[in-house]
Amino acid sequence: MEKIDIAVIGAGIVGLAIAAEVSNGEKSVFALEKEDTFGKHTSSRNSEVIHAGIYYKPASLKANLCIEGNALIYEICEKNNIPYKKISKIIVASTESQISDLYRLYKNAKDSGVSELEMVNNVQIAKMEPNIEADAGIFSAQTGIFDTHLFMKYLSAKATQNKAQISYNSEVVEIKKTNQGYEITVLDSDNQRFSFISQVVINCAGLFADKVAAMVGIDIKTQGYELKFCKGQYFRVSGKSAKLVSRLVYPVPRPKGHSLGIHAGIDLAQNLRFGPDENYIDGNVIDYDVKESAKDEFFESVSKYLPAVKLEDFYPDTAGIRPKLQGPDDDFRDFVIKEEKELGLEGFINLIGIESPGLTAAPAIAKMVKGMIK
Ligand SMILES: Cc1cc2nc3c(=O)[nH]c(=O)nc-3n(C[C@H](O)[C@H](O)[C@H](O)COP(=O)(O)OP(=O)(O)OC[C@H]3O[C@@H](n4cnc5c(N)ncnc54)[C@H](O)[C@@H]3O)c2cc1C
């Protein structure tokens, strides 16, 4: 049976970043992707924001890797002509009661080590964003947007240059630990199976990372690795509503919310869209439909801080699904990035629950994973 050094399962932004980072021409590296190209799931269905690291528990992987990844993304984009814009962001409190939440968030961000952050008052907000109605806000100069498709294209080219191979239409369906390494069985687009042995396996299967972990015999329930799909929809706005803001504007997240709230996002072409909302999907099915019926809820949410927006200007855009470790009533859960030595699975590295800020953190995650490989 053919033997390789490193198998990366999944070619989203995380799998690509890892394949590019761990390949150096010396080790044989294969990335296996079930779709016909890279980034067809969560990595192409998101806000494309380079987060600053404001929201996550200080010293968590989410906070640390986001802050490190933020600097790396800007550096990589700049060096490789990948379009990006350090457009900045304001998190706005539009009710009195949100102001204390805003201060808590500001302290959290400072404790995490986020830089270029400032509390701003209503006058300063009005100067920056005349259409925003808010009592106070947090201004983050470090937040930006980038072209995630070109970024993934760059990572895939870098991996290939480093002699890693990316194999599309290759769904991993079985993994067995053997004396020689991990025997991986792959199903191709003609329903043909082939198997090979890899010394190291890196599970970056996004929404299906828990299923891949289960393939090697991990009890995902006991380990707390079961994923819950949480959908986020977007609406675009046209007409006069499309030019109402010039930077990213976020509401204060709900205390137990599992998203950052329905924000005003601008893409690199300066188009405005709102989202994502937050809906757990029963039965973990892939459902990327945007429900027209959600329009009223979006309008109600957004008009609290952007009163000039018009309901008739909203139209459905895309949706993405967050691979969440926490259910609707659970507290903060961190990324799982772990070599499963304690389970007797040396060389098997799991990446589970890589939800936001996974795009921003991807290059830092790749460096961390490289450090785990002997
Ligand atoms: C609505 C939304 C908005 C977001 N906004 C932001 C943002 O603005 N900024 C930010 O930093 N993050 C954001 N995120 C998070 C970010 O998009 C994700 O963290 C990131 O894309 C995860 O990348 P990934 O490579 O782990 O997963 P994916 O992109 O899902 O890649 C996993 C890959 O594994 C493949 N795969 C699965 N099973 C198998 C198998 N058995 N065999 C072979 N291949 C397999 C899949 O086909 C897929 O291509 C957002 C997420 C959502 C849902």
Side-chain angles (χ1 to χ4, degrees):
M1 198 176 285
E2 194 185 335
K3 283 189 188 154
I4 64 162
D5 295 314
I6 301 172
V8 178
I9 305 174
I13 194 166
V14 174
L16 291 172
I18 292 173
E21 188 72 31
V22 301
S23 52
N24 54 10
E26 286 164 23
K27 289 198 160 128
S28 46
V29 179
F30 276 76
L32 303 156
E33 168 55 56
K34 70 182 172 70
E35 304 292 349
D36 58 3
T37 188
F38 59 76
K40 276 206 155 172
H41 289 280
T42 313
S43 296
S44 57
R45 297 176 162 276
N46 52 65
S47 304
E48 299 197 291
V49 172
I50 308 170
H51 285 301
I54 296 168
Y55 302 91
Y56 321 104
K57 198 173 176 175
S60 62
L61 289 175
K62 281 184 178 170
N64 289 350
L65 294 168
C66 181
I67 292 170
E68 188 187 340
N70 175 292
L72 288 169
I73 298 250
Y74 284 124
E75 190 186 313
I76 296 167
C77 287
E78 184 62 37
K79 273 194 190 149
N80 298 285
N81 291 321
I82 301 166
Y84 75 96
K85 214 167 181 182
K86 217 169 176 180
I87 194 168
S88 80
K89 131 175 174 176
I90 322 179
I91 304 168
V92 294
S94 27
T95 62
E96 195 64 29
S97 68
Q98 285 181 344
I99 295 182
S100 54
D101 291 336
L102 201 66
Y103 276 98
R104 256 197 301 278
L105 197 57
Y106 180 77
K107 183 179 179 316
N108 186 76
K110 282 289 174 193
D111 289 348
S112 292
V114 178
S115 60
E116 294 189 69
L117 210 61
E118 197 188 329
M119 287 297 298
V120 284
N121 61 29
N122 57 347
V123 178
Q124 289 167 299
I125 295 172
K127 233 185 202 168
M128 286 190 274
E129 293 295 343
N131 293 309
I132 292 291
E133 219 170 83
D135 297 327
I138 300 174
F139 175 72
S140 162
Q142 202 57 41
T143 303
I145 49 176
F146 71 130
D147 186 324
T148 51
H149 180 77
L150 288 185
F151 195 88
M152 286 191 277
K153 203 171 163 192
Y154 156 79
L155 292 173
S156 132
K158 188 178 171 204
T160 313
Q161 265 164 26
N162 290 351
K163 306 241 173 344
Q165 294 202 36
I166 306 176
S167 179
Y168 293 111
N169 298 308
S170 302
E171 180 177 1
V172 173
V173 288
E174 234 177 86
I175 309 172
K176 264 190 254 161
K177 188 177 182 325
T178 71
N179 292 337
Q180 296 176 312
Y182 293 93
E183 183 181 326
I184 299 178
T185 302
V186 168
L187 192 67
D188 70 14
S189 49
D190 299 322
N191 260 345
Q192 297 296 310
R193 285 172 168 250
F194 63 95
S195 301
F196 59 94
I197 302 263
S198 183
Q199 290 307 308
V200 171
V201 179
I202 307 171
N203 170 15
C204 322
L207 292 165
F208 304 97
D210 56 344
K211 304 278 176 300
V212 168
M215 284 179 200
V216 76
I218 294 175
D219 182 341
I220 55 170
K221 204 177 177 113
T222 315
Q223 294 305 318
Y225 288 174
E226 279 180 317
L227 289 171
K228 289 113 198 141
F229 286 13
C230 180
K231 182 172 165 182
Q233 310 179 98
Y234 293 88
F235 276 77
R236 231 165 238 294
V237 280
S238 59
K240 282 196 180 139
S241 298
K243 301 290 169 211
L244 287 173
V245 295
S246 57
R247 56 176 59 69
L248 307 173
V249 181
Y250 283 60
V252 176
R254 289 187 294 112
K256 265 251 174 180
H258 289 314
S259 79
L260 307 184
I262 296 179
H263 63 264
I266 295 173
D267 63 21
L268 287 161
Q270 291 288 325
N271 296 312
L272 179 60
R273 67 174 186 161
F274 298 107
D277 60 355
E278 182 194 321
N279 295 295
Y280 279 84
I281 307 176
D282 284 341
N284 277 8
V285 284
I286 295 281
D287 166 15
Y288 293 133
D289 273 1
V290 179
K291 309 270 180 294
E292 179 81 34
S293 55
K295 190 164 150 173
D296 289 346
E297 195 196 315
F298 266 71
F299 174 71
E300 201 194 312
S301 217
V302 170
S303 54
K304 282 189 186 127
Y305 60 87
L306 193 56
V309 75
K310 300 243 176 327
L311 178 66
E312 61 268 26
D313 289 340
F314 280 65
Y315 61 97
D317 192 37
T318 57
I321 303 175
R322 309 167 180 92
K324 280 201 174 283
L325 285 165
Q326 67 275 40
D329 299 319
D330 299 338
D331 288 329
F332 176 84
R333 285 283 307 268
D334 206 356
F335 292 152
V336 169
I337 304 177
K338 193 173 174 199
E339 184 184 0
E340 301 290 1
K341 278 188 204 157
E342 288 156 26
L343 302 177
L345 298 170
E346 200 155 331
F348 194 96
I349 300 171
N350 267 327
L351 289 93
I352 305 181
I354 311 299
E355 54 162 334
S356 194
L359 279 181
T360 311
I365 292 176
K367 285 186 187 298
M368 179 181 171
V369 169
K370 188 182 184 182
M372 292 172 155
I373 299 171
K374 286 185 209 88

